[in-house]
Amino acid sequence: MIQKLAVREVACVIRKRFGMALRGVTVNGVHKPCNSQCNPVQCWKWDVSPIIHHTKPVTYAVLVLNTPITQSQMFFTQLWNNAKLRITVDGGIKKWESFINNCPEEIQNDIKLPDLVTGDFDSVSQDDLEKYRKKGCKVAHTPDQNHTDFTKALMELFTHCRETNTDVDHVIAIAQSSRRIDQIFGNVQTLFLAKENQLLSPTTKLYLISDDAVSWLLSPGDHVIVVPEESKKHKRAWCSLVPVGEPCVVTSTGLKWNLDSQILAFGKLVSSSNTFTESDTVTVKCSHPLLWSMKVPSLQSS
């Protein structure tokens, strides 16, 4: 989850961590200018615990892509039922159905139906689509082959929110990462497109959940990432900072192997298999987009 920070708090964090004096900042994508001329600095605080552990109410949409749901029954059903909008993407409707059919009867009886079933439907039959139409689900066919079903689903989500005057602060996509590598990169491409092409509201944040990991894109600027206690203490804890598309100058704190104005780039250095210190937060300053990922054990544990 992204929580709004007061400008003073963000400026303090950045001064302490990066030795920067600020005259204006942009907090979670919203610029807070000072009275004098300044260059805005993008600043974000990230905390996924309210989404994963339901520690406080958050407004989000959840998407199930055409991939097996490997998360625990408890986690997924709570994530799904508590969402403001529930979407399956192409064959994701069959993956969702298969997952629910393997749950205990009380969960099956309590599970909410998808609000939207979308995709080019090359992985789902017309009979299945008609079944969900009759149950009251909206079915949106997106045949355009210039974009992935994931990208088109975000477009449909944006349209649906605009038409129904619905706001969501977060979008969580269930997207398995251990199958085809081209589809993995396709999902990362969608993270970029969501920002570059404004597929979502500028204040809506997009996450990928795969197995027991959470990933999201860090835009150029300064980030404070709250590390879940379970992630920090796990014996196989890991996190990664991966440059995608172009080299990225990175400075960090709170990692076992920190970076100090170092260039991350394929063919040079990639911060994979990193891990945490005892610090409750990780700070990252990056010059270009960076893919952050970390293990969250409870995604797959009961």
Side-chain angles (χ1 to χ4, degrees):
M1 171 189 178
I2 296 182
Q3 298 174 328
K4 292 183 178 179
L5 292 176
V7 174
R8 183 177 300 172
E9 180 182 349
V10 175
C12 179
V13 168
I14 295 173
R15 287 193 187 100
K16 287 181 179 178
R17 301 294 190 185
F18 304 114
M20 296 172 60
L22 300 182
R23 285 194 267 176
V25 296
T26 298
V27 181
N28 291 337
V30 180
H31 182 50
K32 307 289 186 178
C34 58
N35 294 324
S36 58
Q37 186 175 4
C38 63
N39 295 319
V41 176
Q42 297 277 355
C43 308
W44 291 268
K45 183 178 181 180
W46 302 82
D47 185 4
V48 297
S49 293
I51 296 174
I52 294 171
H53 301 298
H54 313 287
T55 53
K56 57 184 174 180
V58 288
T59 304
Y60 63 88
V62 60
L63 285 73
V64 174
L65 305 188
N66 185 16
T67 184
I69 300 170
T70 64
Q71 288 71 39
S72 72
Q73 291 180 357
M74 179 180 295
F75 167 76
F76 178 78
T77 54
Q78 287 184 336
L79 180 76
W80 180 264
N81 279 347
N82 289 334
K84 194 164 189 177
L85 288 170
R86 292 162 288 275
I87 301 170
T88 63
V89 182
D90 201 65
I93 188 64
K94 297 298 293 180
K95 300 299 191 295
W96 175 84
E97 187 178 82
S98 175
F99 180 88
I100 298 305
N101 287 341
N102 286 315
C103 290
E105 185 176 354
E106 59 269 23
I107 291 180
Q108 295 185 38
N109 293 335
D110 188 54
I111 202 72
K112 295 181 180 179
L113 289 168
D115 298 294
L116 178 63
V117 178
T118 183
D120 60 14
F121 301 140
D122 61 350
S123 300
V124 61
S125 71
Q126 290 302 311
D127 288 343
D128 285 324
L129 295 176
E130 187 59 29
K131 177 175 67 176
Y132 285 98
R133 280 195 188 97
K134 290 180 178 179
K135 291 182 177 183
C137 304
K138 180 180 178 181
V139 176
H141 184 211
T142 56
D144 181 7
Q145 297 300 302
N146 291 319
H147 298 290
T148 65
D149 283 326
F150 182 17
T151 298
K152 291 181 289 184
L154 296 183
M155 297 175 183
E156 290 295 320
L157 171 61
F158 180 80
T159 299
H160 180 83
C161 288
R162 184 177 56 196
E163 291 176 347
T164 60
N165 197 28
T166 301
D167 293 320
V168 293
D169 294 325
H170 315 284
V171 176
I172 301 99
I174 304 297
Q176 178 61 268
S177 64
S178 61
R179 301 178 72 191
R180 286 173 46 181
I181 193 169
D182 61 326
Q183 293 182 345
I184 295 170
F185 282 117
N187 291 339
V188 175
Q189 163 76 342
T190 297
L191 295 181
F192 275 84
L193 292 177
K195 290 183 177 292
E196 293 298 319
N197 295 353
Q198 297 182 345
L199 303 183
L200 298 170
S201 165
T203 59
T204 301
K205 308 308 184 290
L206 177 59
Y207 304 86
L208 297 178
I209 290 181
S210 56
D211 292 335
D212 61 353
V214 183
S215 304
W216 64 87
L217 203 62
L218 302 180
S219 296
D222 300 286
H223 303 264
V224 179
I225 301 167
V226 177
V227 182
E229 192 69 15
E230 60 170 312
S231 298
K232 186 170 57 176
K233 297 298 185 182
H234 196 272
K235 62 181 180 180
R236 293 184 178 177
W238 66 268
C239 62
S240 64
L241 289 162
V242 178
V244 184
E246 55 190 319
C248 182
V249 180
V250 182
T251 297
S252 69
T253 68
L255 298 175
K256 184 174 182 179
W257 295 284
N258 277 311
L259 300 156
D260 185 9
S261 297
Q262 290 170 266
I263 297 175
L264 295 185
F266 283 100
K268 293 187 178 180
L269 175 66
V270 173
S271 183
S272 60
S273 300
N274 210 322
T275 190
F276 308 103
T277 63
E278 292 299 315
S279 174
D280 293 332
T281 60
V282 168
T283 64
V284 178
K285 177 181 177 66
C286 53
S287 64
H288 293 83
L290 201 59
L291 183 67
W292 166 267
S293 302
M294 65 178 174
K295 180 183 182 71
V296 183
S298 63
L299 293 178
Q300 288 191 311
S301 61
S302 299

